[in-house]
Amino acid sequence: MAMMLDESEASDAELIGRAKGGDRGAFGKLLERHYDFVYRAAYRWCGRKADAEDIAQEVCVRLGKAIRDYRGGGAFTTWLYTMTMNAARDMIRKTARETVKTEAYGVHALISGEAPAESEDPAEALWAAVRQLPDKQRDAVMLVYGEGLSHAAAAEAMAISETTVSWHIHEAKKRLKTVMRSAGEV
């Protein structure tokens, strides 16, 4: 008689296969296993807890629709990270559009009140600067330094070559060095 694995012992591949077949329990276990990863990646992108929670929830919804399309060619976490990056970009674009509308009507001053206090944490200042980099540079830095991926894994997530990832990181370091020096952080 074949031995049945407990869901907590099932591999990602097994859970994915079962989730593709409509097993809600397997899908729930997969979400539970990877939610912290998604939230952490989202937080690095946006730097705000509430926004990171919104992005993570959006990824959970998208994953429910997209799990059947997962082919398994690369690591599940790489695919999941790409989905998280796309959700974060969508939120950033949406937020930018909403901010423009708000400022156009002069409501921004009424809502925002005082400006938030500047963070005294140099690491947070650096990540805030990273979030201001051009898209490809920001993506490369987030994947390699924020998530600890290799240049090859980052290239797969970004759908570009490994040497291009290296170039984006090189350019980002130059830009960050300039920004941090002008801010008095370096």
Side-chain angles (χ1 to χ4, degrees):
M1 181 157 108
M3 194 172 192
M4 297 294 286
L5 286 176
D6 183 36
E7 276 190 0
S8 64
E9 298 174 17
S11 70
D12 281 353
E14 292 172 275
L15 291 174
I16 291 166
R18 290 175 25 209
K20 281 182 168 187
D23 183 338
R24 291 181 181 194
F27 180 75
K29 184 65 182 169
L30 199 60
L31 282 179
E32 182 181 318
R33 187 176 287 176
H34 293 285
Y35 184 84
D36 289 343
F37 167 77
V38 171
Y39 174 82
R40 186 181 71 243
Y43 184 81
R44 296 248 170 147
W45 274 89
C46 63
R48 293 186 41 193
K49 183 179 177 185
D51 289 345
E53 289 169 351
D54 289 346
I55 292 167
Q57 290 300 311
E58 177 64 22
V59 170
C60 291
V61 170
R62 289 181 184 188
L63 182 61
K65 295 174 184 175
I67 191 74
R68 292 175 195 230
D69 296 331
Y70 177 68
R71 290 185 222 126
F76 178 69
T77 52
T78 302
W79 184 72
L80 193 56
Y81 192 87
T82 301
M83 190 178 292
T84 304
M85 282 190 328
N86 290 335
R89 285 184 190 133
D90 291 347
M91 176 175 255
I92 289 167
R93 283 191 291 267
K94 180 181 175 188
T95 302
R97 285 191 307 267
E98 289 173 358
T99 299
V100 167
K101 289 177 188 176
T102 301
E103 289 174 350
Y105 292 107
V107 178
H108 180 34
L110 297 173
I111 296 172
S112 66
E114 286 186 24
E118 290 293 319
S119 173
E120 305 237 352
D121 182 10
E124 184 53 40
L126 178 60
W127 283 113
V130 167
R131 286 189 284 278
Q132 301 304 312
L133 289 171
D135 291 349
K136 295 289 185 178
Q137 290 177 18
R138 181 192 61 224
D139 295 354
V141 171
M142 292 279 196
L143 288 168
V144 173
Y145 293 106
E147 296 305 319
L149 296 180
S150 67
H151 286 214
E156 183 181 338
M158 294 175 68
I160 58 177
S161 73
E162 188 174 343
T163 54
T164 304
V165 168
S166 298
W167 181 81
H168 284 306
I169 287 176
H170 172 75
E171 292 299 309
K173 284 180 178 179
K174 288 190 325 190
R175 188 178 298 241
L176 288 170
K177 189 182 241 183
T178 302
V179 168
M180 297 307 282
R181 272 195 184 134
S182 67
E185 295 290 335
V186 177

